[in-house]
Amino acid sequence: MPEKKRNIVKIMSLVFLVIAAVGIGVTGASIIHRMELTNQIRTPTVSVEVREEVGSVEEGLKTKKVKFENTGNADVFLRVSYGETWTYQEGEQRMILPNEPEGKEAAVKNWNTDGSWQEGGDGWFYYTRVLKPKESTPYILTAVDFRRTAELSDQRYRTAGYELYFRTETVQASDQLEAALDAVGAVFETSFQVKDQRLTTELWKSSKDSLLLDWRGGN
């Protein structure tokens, strides 16, 4: 077997959820003459999980399809970041190798380029739509390419272990435009517009689930 096929690939999915601007609905009912009041308080849940399809390494290319599903019951904004680590073991000694030796990536990520994700310039990829409950995003990643390891002078990369993991942050997407903007400003420290349209309170309330968002980038 060629050495470039012997990369040990370990995929870890770490999901950190940030819950903000959760709306609270309150309903009240009174029973005449008995003066009893019953209040029910319900808060939407905000939850996103990673969904992956991971294949074997063939000719240095490992299939790894990653998307995210809204498993809560509230509409959310979603952003995703990632981390990667190369680990080389030699006897009792364990070494962490740099991700970009010799000025190039040792593992090349094949990201989605269909416009579903927008790189914010702040280390995050922003999903360009509101993610509704029980729905999933398109894949953000489709494969990891290890063929460059054969070009590196550092032979350790050919047998080192590689870890790729994701972090997510979510914010409830309120039906109220001002509340939605305040929430992403507080948690994401950014804002959004709508592509090719003027963002108004009326447009957001009637069509937020179908709008294509243009994130302005983090601070």
Side-chain angles (χ1 to χ4, degrees):
M1 176 182 294
E3 285 188 337
K4 63 184 178 182
K5 296 183 182 179
R6 288 164 39 196
N7 292 286
I8 303 170
V9 181
K10 179 181 178 183
I11 304 300
M12 302 172 60
S13 301
L14 305 181
V15 180
F16 299 82
L17 303 180
V18 176
I19 304 174
V22 176
I24 298 179
V26 181
T27 59
S30 62
I31 300 176
I32 300 175
H33 305 307
R34 295 178 59 183
M35 298 301 292
E36 293 183 6
L37 298 178
T38 301
N39 292 295
Q40 298 178 348
I41 300 177
R42 298 184 178 89
T43 59
T45 59
V46 178
S47 177
V48 171
E49 295 184 6
V50 180
R51 303 295 185 222
E52 294 181 328
E53 297 177 24
V54 181
S56 59
V57 178
E58 296 183 8
E59 298 298 326
L61 188 68
K62 181 177 182 66
T63 300
K64 177 176 170 57
K65 297 180 178 180
V66 180
K67 62 182 178 180
F68 304 89
E69 181 183 351
N70 184 348
T71 55
N73 58 20
D75 294 343
V76 298
F77 301 108
L78 170 67
R79 69 177 183 175
V80 178
S81 64
Y82 74 96
E84 55 187 331
T85 304
W86 285 91
T87 307
Y88 179 74
Q89 189 82 30
E90 184 175 353
E92 298 286 330
Q93 188 176 13
R94 181 174 179 269
M95 292 168 279
I96 302 299
L97 305 180
N99 290 322
E100 295 188 11
E102 303 172 19
K104 64 176 67 175
E105 287 186 298
V108 180
K109 278 69 65 183
N110 291 358
W111 300 110
N112 183 328
T113 58
D114 69 357
S116 299
W117 297 91
Q118 180 180 343
E119 193 167 359
D122 55 355
W124 294 91
F125 290 91
Y126 291 78
Y127 185 49
T128 55
R129 294 192 183 276
V130 170
L131 185 59
K132 300 178 65 176
K134 311 308 177 186
E135 291 191 354
S136 297
T137 69
Y139 293 114
I140 189 173
L141 179 78
T142 57
V144 181
D145 190 341
F146 295 100
R147 286 175 288 189
R148 283 187 181 174
T149 59
E151 304 171 5
L152 298 174
S153 59
D154 190 340
Q155 301 293 308
R156 294 176 299 177
Y157 285 88
R158 303 189 185 188
T159 54
Y162 176 77
E163 297 178 354
L164 174 64
Y165 50 92
F166 289 90
R167 176 189 181 192
T168 71
E169 288 188 348
T170 59
V171 176
Q172 183 181 343
S174 171
D175 290 339
Q176 304 301 317
L177 177 59
E178 184 176 352
L181 290 170
D182 287 346
V184 297
V187 180
F188 290 173
E189 296 184 326
T190 186
S191 188
F192 62 87
Q193 297 176 334
V194 176
K195 283 189 177 293
D196 304 323
Q197 296 186 69
R198 179 173 173 268
L199 180 58
T200 64
T201 300
E202 293 75 17
L203 176 65
W204 183 253
K205 188 172 183 178
S206 64
S207 308
K208 73 178 175 70
D209 293 339
S210 61
L211 297 175
L212 185 62
L213 307 181
D214 182 13
W215 293 92
R216 298 181 183 179
N219 296 329

